[in-house]
Amino acid sequence: MLQFDYPLTTVGMIVFVTFLTCLLLAIFSARSGQNLKNKLLFFTGSKILRLATCFMEKTIFTIDYDGGFNLNFECTYDDLKSILPEHLEPVQMKILDNEGDGKYLFSLYCADLDMEGAPFELGRADAFTYVRDQDQKLGLCFISAFVDTSGINAKFKPSITMMNSFFGMDPYDYSCGYPHYDAEKIKISDNDFIFNVKDAKIHVSGEENIQSTGNLFHRDFVCANSQIYRGSNGAKNVNFFNQDFIDARVTSWDPKKISLTGNMADIHALCKKENLVSVQHYKNAGIRWYFENI
């Protein structure tokens, strides 16, 4: 049995738009071919679904990640527990399916981000760790994020700030779930990556520094990416992705050959040069995610 848990305002909106659709179809039925009627039905149907999700306060967003470098710093349980909300527990994580034992990790994920409807791409880096929630499900918890707006037209920058504030907000008390900071530079290509925040700089380059190619993500890592927590009240994104992410072919770099200079604490206190244990990169043309902001 199908059950629709929509508020009355949504039901009313759906009924109204459906009635309007039927009226328009009736008007066009005598004058137009089937193709035009199908186009009208598809257009209005898609708008009805979008309106329904808006009124339910659950909207699905689309986002593309181009490139993608993941840098992982080994920590202790206590290191991570001290920066997490009470309802989340740190877990040891395997990033790739050919790794041995899992480790307590603090990670940076950096990519060019292209969000549906945005007139620009944005270099972004997320700082996070891996957790298990009260339902014993794996997830991530975002600690902070960095964005490179240096190449963005100035008129769009207030919109970027507002968008970041919205997605980083804890909707339970309207506090900041995780802060966004400016990055001086985020540059990503197939064999070169630069991440610069204040005095800290990370540089990955040189094919001779590649350890292995064609690796796959570990199942636990994929599962953890399906929900991302923020703030202290249980707010999260629920993420949906397809085989482009699950089957991504991953390149591993030698962490000892990665250049980390300056004061790495400008990124985070847990980003210690001596604790960098792995670096991954996938070269896909783009991995599309869909996520629900709840």
Side-chain angles (χ1 to χ4, degrees):
M1 181 178 70
L2 293 175
Q3 180 177 353
F4 296 94
D5 187 21
Y6 295 163
L8 289 178
T9 52
T10 303
V11 174
M13 178 63 70
I14 292 174
V15 169
F16 171 75
V17 178
T18 304
F19 171 77
L20 182 61
T21 302
C22 292
L23 180 62
L24 289 171
L25 285 173
I27 292 172
F28 280 100
S29 61
R31 305 178 182 179
S32 307
Q34 186 65 35
N35 189 48
L36 180 57
K37 287 188 290 184
N38 287 344
K39 286 182 179 179
L40 179 61
L41 181 61
F42 179 82
F43 176 80
T44 52
S46 64
K47 298 305 177 186
I48 288 171
L49 291 176
R50 285 181 177 267
L51 281 171
T53 57
C54 287
F55 276 87
M56 287 191 300
E57 298 182 351
K58 291 184 178 181
T59 304
I60 300 295
F61 298 90
T62 303
I63 195 166
D64 291 319
Y65 292 99
D66 294 325
F69 279 83
N70 208 50
L71 295 93
N72 307 293
F73 298 83
E74 187 172 9
C75 308
T76 66
Y77 171 91
D78 291 336
D79 287 336
L80 298 175
K81 186 61 178 174
S82 67
I83 62 173
L84 288 173
E86 291 183 3
H87 67 281
L88 298 176
E89 280 290 314
V91 294
Q92 294 177 315
M93 180 56 59
K94 297 179 182 179
I95 306 297
L96 301 177
D97 65 355
N98 60 358
E99 291 182 1
D101 295 333
K103 297 180 174 65
Y104 290 112
L105 299 172
F106 185 86
S107 294
L108 295 173
Y109 173 71
C110 312
D112 287 326
L113 180 152
D114 184 10
M115 189 168 182
E116 182 182 29
F120 47 77
E121 281 195 353
L122 192 67
R124 177 182 171 103
D126 296 311
F128 58 91
T129 189
Y130 307 90
V131 299
R132 196 175 293 277
D133 63 19
Q134 292 175 320
D135 296 323
Q136 299 304 303
K137 293 182 179 179
L138 292 168
L140 310 180
C141 183
F142 273 17
I143 306 301
S144 60
F146 302 85
V147 292
D148 177 6
T149 61
S150 59
I152 304 297
N153 190 308
K155 69 179 182 181
F156 293 125
K157 292 185 178 182
S159 299
I160 294 172
T161 300
M162 187 180 302
M163 179 180 68
N164 289 336
S165 297
F166 170 75
F167 285 113
M169 184 183 298
D170 185 333
Y172 292 98
D173 58 11
Y174 305 108
S175 63
C176 177
Y178 64 93
H180 286 75
Y181 302 108
D182 290 331
E184 274 63 47
K185 188 174 186 178
I186 298 177
K187 178 187 175 183
I188 298 172
S189 63
D190 277 351
N191 295 303
D192 191 59
F193 166 62
I194 297 174
F195 178 39
N196 185 198
V197 177
K198 296 182 179 177
D199 185 50
K201 185 175 181 180
I202 300 172
H203 190 193
V204 181
S205 65
E207 292 189 2
E208 68 276 10
N209 297 324
I210 291 176
Q211 285 184 324
S212 61
T213 60
N215 306 296
L216 292 173
F217 288 128
H218 192 276
R219 180 185 183 278
D220 287 351
F221 177 78
V222 174
C223 289
N225 275 270
S226 67
Q227 55 177 358
I228 300 175
Y229 283 93
R230 65 188 187 279
S232 59
N233 298 303
K236 65 180 180 179
N237 292 351
V238 178
N239 303 316
F240 309 90
F241 34 77
N242 58 22
Q243 295 176 46
D244 289 340
F245 177 62
I246 296 170
D247 294 334
R249 297 294 168 171
V250 184
T251 298
S252 290
W253 298 72
D254 185 349
K256 296 179 181 179
K257 303 292 180 63
I258 306 304
S259 174
L260 286 78
T261 57
N263 183 11
M264 292 297 295
D266 284 341
I267 299 174
H268 195 277
L270 294 180
C271 294
K272 297 178 180 178
K273 181 177 181 178
E274 63 272 20
N275 291 343
L276 181 66
V277 291
S278 64
V279 177
Q280 297 89 25
H281 172 226
Y282 57 81
K283 300 182 181 181
N284 297 55
I287 290 179
R288 172 159 290 188
W289 285 35
Y290 303 89
F291 68 96
E292 185 179 56
N293 197 52
I294 60 176

